[in-house]
Amino acid sequence: MKDKKFHLIVFGCQMNISDAERLATTLKSLGYQETDNEADADLIGVVACSVKQTAVDRIYGKVHNWQLVKEKRPLITMLSGCVLDYDRQKLQDKFDIFLDIKKLDTLAEEIKKAAPEEKLALPSFFDIKPSYYSSYRAYVPIMTGCNKFCSYCAVPYTRGREVSRPSASIISEIKELLEKGYKEIILLGQNVNSYGLDKASARGGSASGGGEEELNFPQLLKQIDNLGDHFWLKFLTSHPYDMSDELIEVMKHGENINHYLHLPVQSGSDEILKKMNRHYSIEHYTELIKKIRTALPDVSISTDLIVGFAGETEADFKVTEKLVRDLKFNLSFTSQYSQRTGTVAAKLYPDDVSQETKKERFNIVNNQIGKNAKLYNQTLVGKTFEALIDVVNCEEKKCKNIGKLANYTAVHVITKEPLKVGGFYQVKITQADAWGVLANLT
Ligand code: SF4
């Protein structure tokens, strides 16, 4: 096994990137080495995303090429991540291994079937130490699955119901990362706000009650906040239905918790939210945003929006547009609705908004977000913040250092000497635009 190489192709969200980190470690423990070059790989793994049809289409395209490669040399292909049953049935025969990401401990067995020389047995998903892709920013999964069943989404079917990772295991992973000098920790889950509730309901009590030493999400966040003196702590993703006052209080008093929140609203129309099975009204969402902004006046809030959902009328869209303007989101991950076979929405509602209308609505929303971002970024001018540097480009004694502020705003810092990638710097904001801010070192 010594000379074998693997190559991973990752589609979709941060959760998939985090899964890929654990998958990489697992493959390394089997004796494989990672390669960036697909053509060198003996094993190619796809961490798939069912959310967008384009990601699925790209997988179909690649599978065809690999079948041609297999005619010339041995190659193991593996499919994992979020895969709807419908796609799985069509793709299953084309991959050698189909791996449920929560069953990484079965990977050795699966590879053994495809390549009989392998014999290792492995620990369970959460016990596997990931190969972090960054030396200063780590994505730490705290739970898998989702119980919300939004009508357009495949996650509850592809990843299953919510399973919270034991808090002791999360805390120990983060302690280790901070000891190694990691600067930014991002907790991951499809709905982090319901962390611990699966354990509570199993015991018939609250997440913190019932005798077992388990925590709910605000309690977990507070404990992580206390693990180090100086680091950035964020979490993704929050569901508006489960976002509690207790969590807002913990964010308000935290030392290291960033005042950044990703709170997907998806639509401004109550009718559409009902069809999406989102479990909240716009009144609830708006009140929640007000409460958060009262507690954290400097908070930066991003959202997810789907335009052109089944049955979305012009009137539905107008209220979404108004909501984006009124609530001043400064960042949105906006998508044009693409029907996914196998989801409840695909069974119940015809995808009846034209591509042209979807695109038009997408552009209107993104223009408004750009205006909001510019206004928000202008409020930062003249103030001093901490920046974390990600990329450095130097040319003729001038370096452009690109990074982020703790509130997720993109920042460019111009210096004569390069700054350190992964380093914290105090910067003063000098200019602002929709894309981010320019700053000088203080
Ligand atoms: S909250 Fe909804 S959109 Fe998010 S993962 Fe769960 S079902 Fe999917």
Side-chain angles (χ1 to χ4, degrees):
M1 288 294 296
K2 279 277 179 302
D3 298 317
K4 298 271 183 189
K5 293 191 176 138
F6 73 93
H7 176 73
L8 293 183
I9 299 169
V10 188
F11 294 98
C13 63
Q14 294 301 350
M15 199 73 194
N16 275 15
I17 294 173
S18 171
D19 288 344
E21 289 178 339
R22 277 176 161 73
L23 187 53
T25 306
T26 309
L27 287 163
K28 283 175 190 170
S29 74
L30 289 172
Y32 282 84
Q33 293 167 13
E34 189 159 17
T35 173
D36 290 339
N37 188 354
E38 191 182 309
D40 285 348
D42 303 281
L43 184 152
I44 297 176
V46 176
V47 183
C49 168
S50 287
V51 176
K52 291 194 176 170
Q53 184 61 43
T54 45
V56 179
D57 292 344
R58 282 174 64 193
I59 297 170
Y60 280 109
K62 284 188 167 291
V63 160
H64 177 70
N65 289 345
W66 297 333
Q67 275 165 342
L68 299 179
V69 174
K70 280 180 178 191
E71 287 170 13
K72 296 183 190 134
R73 67 173 177 89
L75 173 68
I76 302 174
T77 54
M78 173 174 66
L79 180 63
S80 191
C82 285
V83 187
L84 274 169
D85 259 357
Y86 171 83
D87 291 316
R88 181 181 167 158
Q89 280 161 23
K90 286 171 76 172
L91 286 167
Q92 194 141 288
D93 305 346
K94 300 182 172 62
F95 281 87
D96 302 303
I97 299 172
F98 179 84
L99 182 78
D100 177 342
I101 196 70
K102 294 192 302 303
K103 295 183 183 156
L104 270 176
D105 54 335
T106 64
L107 181 58
E109 206 48 44
E110 294 295 336
I111 292 179
K112 201 171 141 192
K113 283 186 214 153
E117 69 270 20
E118 195 46 61
K119 286 188 178 66
L120 286 179
L122 291 161
S124 71
F125 177 72
F126 284 137
D127 293 332
I128 293 165
K129 291 213 162 147
S131 300
Y132 302 102
Y133 287 135
S134 160
S135 58
Y136 58 93
R137 174 180 295 125
Y139 293 94
V140 178
I142 64 168
M143 60 197 297
T144 62
C146 183
N147 292 356
K148 282 286 179 282
F149 290 91
C150 300
S151 64
Y152 52 85
C153 181
V155 166
Y157 310 102
T158 56
R159 287 182 179 267
R161 300 297 172 90
E162 288 167 2
V163 178
S164 298
R165 178 179 176 186
S167 40
S169 154
I170 300 167
I171 287 168
S172 129
E173 180 177 346
I174 295 173
K175 251 190 202 162
E176 217 174 287
L177 287 163
L178 295 177
E179 276 161 18
K180 285 184 187 151
Y182 272 74
K183 301 290 194 324
E184 184 173 18
I185 304 293
I186 303 170
L187 308 178
L188 288 182
Q190 308 295 342
N191 175 17
V192 291
N193 306 117
S194 58
Y195 173 83
L197 299 183
D198 52 322
K199 297 196 167 111
S201 58
R203 291 194 306 272
S206 72
S208 54
E212 267 179 56
E213 200 42 55
E214 267 310 336
L215 307 171
N216 65 19
F217 184 60
Q219 291 163 343
L220 175 74
L221 193 67
K222 197 170 171 182
Q223 289 213 6
I224 296 170
D225 183 40
N226 289 332
L227 291 177
D229 293 333
H230 183 204
F231 67 103
W232 287 1
L233 178 56
K234 292 185 175 71
F235 51 88
L236 296 170
T237 291
S238 293
H239 192 294
Y241 180 82
D242 294 314
M243 174 108 201
S244 65
D245 292 353
E246 188 186 359
L247 177 58
I248 299 170
E249 275 304 293
V250 170
M251 286 184 78
K252 183 175 170 180
H253 298 293
E255 288 291 319
N256 300 296
I257 304 167
N258 296 155
H259 288 182
Y260 165 73
L261 200 60
H262 184 62
L263 200 59
V265 66
Q266 306 299 7
S267 171
S269 156
D270 281 335
E271 277 310 302
I272 297 293
L273 288 177
K274 258 188 226 145
K275 280 177 137 183
M276 289 177 164
N277 198 30
R278 289 289 293 175
H279 307 283
Y280 53 84
S281 65
I282 285 303
E283 189 186 352
H284 170 88
Y285 187 90
T286 309
E287 282 306 311
L288 183 58
I289 295 278
K290 270 193 208 152
K291 210 189 288 180
I292 295 164
R293 288 206 165 119
T294 305
L296 310 165
D298 61 343
V299 72
S300 155
I301 299 176
S302 61
T303 196
D304 288 343
L305 285 161
I306 299 172
V307 293
F309 186 71
E312 186 188 71
T313 61
E314 191 58 27
D316 289 321
F317 177 67
K318 284 281 171 218
V319 287
T320 299
E321 194 188 344
K322 183 173 180 315
L323 187 85
V324 170
R325 206 168 43 238
D326 291 351
L327 295 189
K328 300 183 176 68
F329 300 113
N330 47 322
L331 179 64
S332 167
F333 300 91
T334 307
S335 51
Q336 300 173 48
Y337 176 59
S338 95
Q339 192 177 64
R340 299 297 304 117
T341 310
T343 58
V344 171
K347 284 181 199 138
L348 294 184
Y349 312 120
D351 183 8
D352 54 2
V353 179
S354 72
Q355 282 309 318
E356 200 187 347
T357 304
K358 284 178 186 170
K359 197 163 178 211
E360 205 176 289
R361 292 176 183 175
F362 176 84
N363 290 338
I364 292 171
V365 162
N366 282 350
N367 279 343
Q368 185 56 49
I369 295 283
K371 286 182 196 164
N372 295 349
K374 188 168 178 179
L375 286 175
Y376 174 82
N377 292 344
Q378 281 168 343
T379 66
L380 310 179
V381 173
K383 296 180 183 158
T384 299
F385 294 92
E386 190 167 55
L388 181 59
I389 301 301
D390 291 310
V391 178
V392 178
N393 292 317
C394 293
E395 269 176 16
E396 295 176 1
K397 294 189 183 163
K398 189 177 165 189
C399 295
K400 190 197 264 185
N401 307 275
I402 302 171
K404 288 262 189 291
L405 305 181
N407 61 17
Y408 209 68
T409 303
V411 61
H412 289 189
V413 190
I414 307 297
T415 54
K416 285 187 184 146
E417 300 296 327
L419 301 183
K420 187 178 165 235
V421 169
F424 275 144
Y425 293 90
Q426 289 295 314
V427 300
K428 187 169 181 179
I429 312 303
T430 56
Q431 283 181 47
D433 214 323
W435 62 263
V437 292
L438 275 182
N440 290 332
L441 283 185
T442 59

